[in-house]
Amino acid sequence: MDVTLHLAQQPEADELLGRSPLAALVGMLLDQQVPMEWAFAGPYTIAQRLGTDDLDAHEIAAHDPEAFAALLSEKPAVHRYPGSMAKRIQQLCQYLMEHYEGDAAKVWEGVKTGEELLRRLKELPGFGAQKAQIFLALLGKQLGVRPKGWREAAGAYGEDKSFRSVADITGPESLTKVRAHKQEMKAAAKAEKAAKSSGK
């Protein structure tokens, strides 16, 4: 895995995401309740604070939980909720140790079907159905991981030439389109909620 991603919008952070399967997974895990760039810059920030050029599941899983939470809480914080995210990242790394010898790439290497890959992603701590589908779409669209039926398994996120999620961001222009799509979705959800509460 060695591609250029454009999710953190910072060259060093994006370079790490493109070469490190664990960094990409951790970035996806962090991608909630904060701007996407902040989330995907997180793995690089964590690696720097650990004094390394990559994330290591063994090292993170073995880290003292309080010290790891403090590491993520240092200013600028890695996430809006650094304590709970530190716990989730350690849970993810512990899971990878138990099931994949600590190697994040083994989650998708050799997988035959999109359905199987989706199931594996959904089993990861912190990955719900939507997050798993988005990451599956990212693997297929940008990281060359394309088992049979991967687009179908990724649902709407797997659609070609769509601008729904981080899987579709390849630069500033597509970032703007994805942001616009998310605003539309939020507005639609808000309108639907308002309509329901007014008894329509």
Side-chain angles (χ1 to χ4, degrees), residues 67-140:
F68 192 64
L71 188 95
L72 268 70
S73 302
E74 276 176 38
K75 295 205 171 356
V78 167
H79 194 274
R80 183 177 291 158
Y81 305 108
S84 60
M85 280 302 171
K87 196 172 172 183
R88 283 192 181 182
I89 291 168
Q90 286 196 294
Q91 285 171 343
L92 173 65
C93 290
Q94 281 154 2
Y95 183 89
L96 292 172
M97 295 278 295
E98 287 164 22
H99 296 84
Y100 297 102
E101 298 165 19
D103 184 352
K106 288 189 173 172
V107 175
W108 51 84
E109 278 174 359
V111 173
K112 297 284 188 285
T113 67
E115 280 301 324
E116 185 190 347
L117 179 50
L118 181 64
R119 179 183 57 74
R120 286 185 176 198
L121 290 169
K122 278 165 48 177
E123 286 170 354
L124 297 174
F127 276 68
Q130 185 185 33
K131 198 179 278 286
Q133 283 192 313
I134 292 171
F135 194 77
L136 174 51
L138 178 66
L139 285 170

Side-chain angles (χ1 to χ4, degrees), residues 26-40 77-86 88 126 130-131 134 166 179 182 186:
V26 169
M28 191 74 230
L29 181 66
L30 291 168
D31 188 24
Q32 58 190 63
Q33 297 173 301
V34 294
M36 177 205 77
E37 299 95 319
W38 184 3
F40 281 96
V78 167
H79 194 274
R80 183 177 291 158
Y81 305 108
S84 60
M85 280 302 171
R88 283 192 181 182
Q130 185 185 33
K131 198 179 278 286
I134 292 171
V166 299
R179 284 244 155 86
K182 287 190 172 181
K186 270 185 186 167

Side-chain angles (χ1 to χ4, degrees), residues 139-159:
L139 285 170
K141 289 180 175 182
Q142 297 199 47
L143 299 171
V145 178
R146 297 175 183 131
K148 189 180 175 191
W150 70 270
R151 283 191 190 275
E152 292 77 6
Y157 300 108
E159 287 173 11

Side-chain angles (χ1 to χ4, degrees), residues 35-53:
M36 177 205 77
E37 299 95 319
W38 184 3
F40 281 96
Y44 179 72
T45 305
I46 295 167
Q48 285 216 303
R49 290 178 186 175
L50 288 169
T52 176
D53 67 351

